[in-house]
Structure formats: structure tokens, C-alpha cells
Amino acid sequence: GEDVEQSLFLSVREGDSSVINCTYTDSSSTYLYWYKQEPGAGLQLLTYIFSNMDMKQDQRLTVLLNKKDKHLSLRIADTQTGDSAIYFCAERSSSASKIIFGSGTRLSIRP
Amino acid sequence: NAGVTQTPKFQVLKTGQSMTLQCAQDMNHEYMSWYRQDPGMGLRLIHYSVGAGITDQGEVPNGYNVSRSTTEDFPLRLLSAAPSQTSVYFCASRSNRDRPYNEQFFGPGTRLTVL
């Protein structure tokens, strides 16, 4: 079945870049998402990428997709304290209704 | 628009009690779903619905029932609560139309503790 894997924790220094990695198993994944969850809140869509794209950039965020290796990454440039959150990778195939989420990566920022 | 609303925000139950977690959305979304979030396990899909009158099981459906009599509401029922159901529950909705990013909107969550 479908599976999405992420490491659980990442700690970076304020001002450095953060790179959060994700692997998935469903080769028919069409849509890949990054969601952000701040403490005590629900998830909010941060960015997305289609499977026919290699890269997407949106201000401080860069998403890289290696479809051959089924590897997705999220890079946050100039990481700020407000970026502290849990980041979820998720995927959906065009034929499926449901979105499959990873376990989430907790990003903490060191001063 | 209120988006996705969930009630209650917090609930404590005793083992064996039943209760219903409420979820409503005012965006006319066809697709609604329930997830539970546990530490280190991410979000696991409990049940989902692609439209009024249609429901289906997700990854972890045991112990939960759902119904979808209207487009707006998608309640989740715990028939006989167990400590293993202690978790944070999120309801989500999105349009079935294949928009470019097909954003799924989440409610604020219900934190349930079963003693």
C-alpha cells in the first residue's frame, strides 16, 4: 500500500537553511504536498508540487522532487523562529480520493 | 466562511462511554475525512466520504462509525471508548474538483482522553 516516510526531528540554527526530507512508495502519486502544523492548531497547506515537476520555488520555500527515487524535500531558506512547527509530507494519486500523510518532522530553531 | 469547525475542543471519557465528535464545513466541499494524530505516527485516516450518503473506511476504522446525511456535516461516533482511542482528532474537507493544488482544509482538532 501507500506509505510516506519522514524523519521525526530536525534542529537548525536561526538564519540557516532547513531541509526536510520525505520518501513515498506510490509510483502513481500525482500531487505531493507540504503541510505545516503550528502548536495547538490544525494543518495548513504550505506548498505543493505536481509529479511532472522537478522543482518549485515560492519565496523562502523550495520543493525538490526526484520522481525516480520517490524523494521529496522542502528547503526553508533563512529559517526564522516562526518556522518552528511540524511539517507533514503528503501525497495523492489522481485516481484516489484520499491523501496519505507522513509522520511529520518537528522543526526546532536554535538561537 | 467559517471553514471547517469541530466540537468539542476537549473531551474526557471513561472506558465504555460513547460520544460523537462533530464536524461541519461551509465551503460546499464534497470530500470530508477524519484523521487521528498520535505522537510519532503522523495523521492516520479513520473514515472518509466523497459526498452525501457515501462513506468509506480509511487505515484505522475500527471502533469508529461515520455517516454523511448532508454535504455540510460529517460526525464521527465512538461507540464504546477505549484508552487506545486517546488522541487528537482532525476533520478535513476539500473539493472533489481537480483543482491545481486541491487544498485540504483542516479543522482545529478535538483532543480526546479516554480514562
Side-chain angles (χ1 to χ4, degrees):
Chain A
E2 313 96 335
D3 197 16
V4 179
E5 301 275 344
Q6 299 177 244
S7 54
L8 291 181
F9 300 100
L10 177 66
S11 175
V12 299
R13 197 178 301 276
E14 188 175 0
D16 287 352
S17 292
S18 307
V19 179
I20 303 171
N21 295 302
C22 168
T23 57
Y24 59 96
T25 59
D26 187 358
S27 56
S28 64
S29 294
T30 302
Y31 308 103
L32 295 132
Y33 308 91
W34 284 103
Y35 279 82
K36 179 181 180 182
Q37 183 184 31
E38 296 186 351
L43 279 69
Q44 286 191 301
L45 182 66
L46 198 59
T47 188
Y48 65 94
I49 191 168
F50 293 121
S51 59
N52 60 0
M53 298 165 66
D54 298 324
M55 184 181 90
K56 181 181 179 186
Q57 189 150 2
D58 184 3
Q59 299 182 335
R60 291 191 298 121
L61 305 178
T62 303
V63 179
L64 294 177
L65 175 61
N66 181 328
K67 198 174 177 184
K68 175 175 163 288
D69 294 339
K70 300 191 187 72
H71 182 267
L72 183 73
S73 68
L74 173 69
R75 179 177 179 268
I76 305 172
D78 186 25
T79 308
Q80 304 297 309
T81 53
D83 295 323
S84 291
I86 301 176
Y87 291 83
F88 289 91
C89 173
E91 64 90 14
R92 182 173 82 88
S93 68
S94 57
S95 60
S97 301
K98 54 189 182 180
I99 298 177
I100 305 298
F101 286 83
S103 57
T105 299
R106 184 180 294 275
L107 176 64
S108 62
I109 315 301
R110 305 191 303 273
Chain B
N1 286 355
V4 181
T5 57
Q6 289 183 239
T7 55
K9 285 198 168 187
F10 301 94
Q11 183 70 51
V12 179
L13 292 177
K14 293 181 181 176
T15 297
Q17 286 185 312
S18 62
M19 81 157 295
T20 299
L21 278 63
Q22 301 291 345
C23 174
Q25 52 90 11
D26 60 359
M27 297 172 280
N28 203 30
H29 285 168
E30 299 91 346
Y31 181 90
M32 296 185 75
S33 53
W34 276 101
Y35 294 86
R36 59 177 289 174
Q37 182 179 23
D38 302 293
M41 311 219 28
L43 290 174
R44 291 183 292 169
L45 183 65
I46 305 171
H47 286 284
Y48 64 100
S49 168
V50 298
I54 307 168
T55 63
D56 207 345
Q57 295 181 349
E59 303 169 72
V60 289
N62 292 344
Y64 307 95
N65 275 0
V66 291
S67 59
R68 185 90 181 273
S69 55
T70 67
T71 300
E72 293 78 19
D73 300 297
F74 191 44
L76 178 72
R77 294 184 189 84
L78 282 71
L79 302 175
S80 178
S84 61
Q85 293 178 304
T86 294
S87 187
V88 181
Y89 291 84
F90 288 100
C91 180
S93 77
R94 64 176 170 80
S95 171
N96 267 0
R97 286 183 287 275
D98 220 19
R99 297 187 188 285
Y101 52 87
N102 209 236
E103 180 174 357
Q104 181 151 269
F105 294 84
F106 283 82
T110 295
R111 187 174 293 272
L112 176 68
T113 302
V114 183
L115 303 174

